[in-house]
Amino acid sequence: MGILSDFEDRIASGIEGIFAGAFRSPVQPVELAKALSRAMDDGRSVGVGKVYVPTAYTVALSEEDADELGDFLPTLAGELTTYLVDHARESGYHLTTRPSVTFVTHDDLRLGRFRVSAALAEQTDGPQTSRPTSSPASGLATVTVGDELHDVALSGDQVIVGRLADCEICLHDSNVSRRHAAFIRIPDGWAIEDLDSTNGTRLNGLSVTRARLHDGDVVEVGLTRLVYHEPRS
């Protein structure tokens, strides 16, 4: 939390003067910082004696939010970059270059919603290439978690939901089991599977053990709603 507090302090100083009205937008810098650090964590790759992480990050905003933030965006990008450097250092990650944060607008996003994507430089003996690691635009399904204003990308073979800190989707909900449910990759998409939870898992209001997911499906674990979104083309 130390680096997050430092980040908030720098942002508070940065919004003085001409930036004083910047945060009429519902998108808050601390939420962007948290989402970017998760993208860094999700994109890590183990090399020889080092853990490499993405260095190129893109934040997609609605047109309304981009207009509201306006001239503050370059300053915000710089502070987010510094935050990522600090997060990498604290986590023991290796950066091949200083991270960059770029803002873009997506017309499918509504006010207050955003998406984060990251590109990982692969370590090879030849020229380095980049690949997307957590962007819905690169073909990943996403899940909107509760009342959060951003989506979690689904990657790998499964994404665990539960109260344990090592769950990919960690929920602070006393009605959720430590390892409650899992999003499971299947040949034609994703399924939700209950992991013998105490209170069960519901899909669109019905209790399920395992079920195929479709765009807009609502998964309920404890008191938390998880809305599934198919990958966007």
Side-chain angles (χ1 to χ4, degrees), residues 5-83:
S5 296
D6 289 344
F7 169 76
E8 289 182 291
D9 288 343
R10 293 196 305 270
I11 288 295
S13 299
I15 63 175
E16 296 175 358
I18 63 172
F19 300 133
F23 295 113
R24 291 173 297 181
S25 166
V27 173
Q28 294 298 307
V30 67
E31 295 303 322
L32 293 175
K34 289 178 181 178
L36 286 166
S37 63
R38 280 196 294 268
M40 176 177 280
D41 295 339
D42 291 344
R44 64 187 182 271
S45 175
V46 178
V48 179
K50 295 180 180 178
V51 178
Y52 296 92
V53 289
T55 55
Y57 296 82
T58 301
V59 179
L61 302 172
S62 70
E63 293 183 1
E64 294 89 344
D65 284 308
D67 288 342
E68 291 287 355
L69 291 168
D71 293 338
F72 186 68
L73 285 177
T75 298
L76 180 56
E79 293 299 342
L80 288 168
T81 295
T82 300
Y83 173 80

Side-chain angles (χ1 to χ4, degrees), residues 128-155:
Q128 294 183 352
T129 58
S130 294
R131 61 179 174 85
T133 60
S134 61
S135 169
S138 65
L140 294 183
T142 60
V143 173
T144 302
V145 181
D147 294 327
E148 293 185 23
L149 297 176
H150 63 277
D151 298 338
V152 174
L154 299 180
S155 60

Side-chain angles (χ1 to χ4, degrees), residues 90-124:
E90 187 175 77
S91 302
Y93 299 149
H94 179 75
L95 294 168
T96 58
T97 187
R98 184 175 176 81
S100 64
V101 177
T102 303
F103 287 94
V104 299
T105 59
H106 283 183
D107 58 12
D108 66 313
L109 290 171
R110 64 176 183 271
L111 184 69
R113 297 292 299 275
F114 64 88
R115 295 195 188 101
V116 168
S117 63
L120 174 66
E122 296 180 346
Q123 302 302 307
T124 65

